[in-house]
Amino acid sequence: MSFDPASYVFTQPSAPTAIRASTVLPARRENVELRTSDGHRLVGELAVPETGGIKATLITLHPLPTHGGFMDSHVYRKASYRLPALAGIAVLRFNTRGTSSPRGTSGGAFEEGVGERLDVEAAVQFAVDRGLPNRWLVGWSFGTELALMYGATEPVASEIEGAVLLSPPLHRATDVHLKEWAEAGKPLKVLVPEHDDYLQPAAAAARFALVPQAQVLGVDGAKHLWVGEKYAGRVLNEIVDEVIPGGATGRAGTVLPQEWDGPVATAHA
């Protein structure tokens, strides 16, 4: 059975609520399907602000599905729970081909990042067709490979503003792809955990030197999976700071609220 985001039960607490890992803030959420040009049906969810305009759109690309990555990987789940309400940001999450989550299973099979090019194209086209503005790719681990390999060339490049990368391993993505990003000139923010298993900050800075506009930020204490509210919160702040001019508060250095004075729901794993 596919998870239905309408099943969240919202209540109005008598006092402001601390935002925790399972806290769900109001948004308009819907199950969506993407269709790839090679005929696969990809399952996903779109969360948009309940009121007000959409300031930016995140097209999220999840970690490696053969190692547990999917559209519900925790940073993306928290982005969908919080960012529509806190920052006016739309969040599109989906399972790449052959990937399963509570939302369902996408058609096809894992293709080592090759066939997934068409998944990225389908997600971007979905956002375009929906009229979602200020579109950004957000890749995490394997998802950064997809963003780097396919985000700076057509048909994707002209439809996005740039990308934010979380824990890039730079295994499948090569210097050729980095040079494509350099030539495209689109913004690239790269968040690299101090204790990453694959690529740590000094090495990342050296590799991304091929992209003059890349901003590489080492995050002290963090690990590849960004476990812990401290690190997940840092990621969300950095994303908002990049995709909304001036950040959510109208100035650089976004710090999203840690309390919410309004209706809330609780997600259950």
Side-chain angles (χ1 to χ4, degrees):
M1 179 180 292
S2 175
F3 176 76
D4 181 1
S7 65
Y8 291 129
V9 177
F10 285 85
T11 59
Q12 175 66 63
S14 59
T17 302
I19 298 173
R20 307 187 187 281
S22 60
T23 304
V24 183
L25 304 183
R28 289 191 287 118
R29 297 181 168 87
E30 62 175 304
N31 286 339
V32 298
E33 293 184 359
L34 318 178
R35 296 285 178 172
T36 68
S37 60
D38 61 342
H40 292 306
R41 166 185 166 273
L42 311 179
V43 300
E45 182 204 88
L46 175 65
V48 302
E50 193 172 54
T51 60
I54 298 172
K55 297 178 181 178
T57 302
L58 307 184
I59 301 168
T60 62
L61 306 171
H62 60 67
L64 194 65
T66 55
H67 287 68
F70 57 175
M71 62 176 273
D72 285 327
S73 292
H74 78 99
V75 171
Y76 291 162
R77 191 173 65 245
K78 291 167 184 172
S80 75
Y81 290 170
R82 303 176 193 179
L83 296 187
L86 296 181
I89 290 176
V91 180
L92 174 62
R93 299 181 292 143
F94 69 99
N95 289 328
T96 56
R97 56 188 58 204
T99 302
S100 297
S101 75
R103 166 66 182 91
T105 300
S106 289
F110 178 62
E111 294 188 33
E112 295 288 348
V114 178
E116 285 80 2
R117 174 175 191 154
L118 303 182
D119 301 353
V120 176
E121 292 176 3
V124 172
Q125 189 59 50
F126 175 90
V128 171
D129 292 344
R130 280 294 186 97
L132 299 172
N134 190 15
R135 297 175 291 272
W136 290 74
L137 298 180
V138 180
W140 180 4
S141 193
F142 172 69
T144 70
E145 309 275 56
L146 301 183
L148 287 170
M149 291 192 292
Y150 308 129
T153 56
E154 295 303 341
V156 171
S158 61
E159 303 292 359
I160 63 166
E161 300 300 320
V164 179
L165 309 181
L166 315 177
S167 309
L170 290 181
H171 286 166
R172 296 169 177 82
T174 68
D175 288 354
V176 169
H177 302 113
L178 295 179
K179 290 175 181 176
E180 289 173 349
W181 273 91
E183 292 169 5
K186 290 182 178 290
L188 197 62
K189 176 178 262 189
V190 187
L191 303 182
V192 184
E194 178 186 10
H195 303 299
D196 195 90
D197 300 312
Y198 305 105
L199 188 72
Q200 296 183 354
R207 291 290 303 276
F208 280 97
L210 289 171
V211 188
Q213 74 273 23
Q215 180 185 10
V216 180
L217 299 178
V219 179
D220 293 346
K223 297 182 179 180
H224 187 76
L225 296 180
W226 304 97
V227 174
E229 181 58 33
K230 172 183 177 180
Y231 300 111
R234 170 70 184 276
V235 167
L236 297 183
N237 285 334
E238 294 287 354
I239 289 172
V240 173
D241 221 29
E242 182 69 9
V243 306
I244 298 179
T249 60
R251 61 183 184 276
T254 294
V255 178
L256 292 167
Q258 296 179 309
E259 289 187 336
W260 175 256
D261 188 8
V264 295
T266 300
H268 300 284

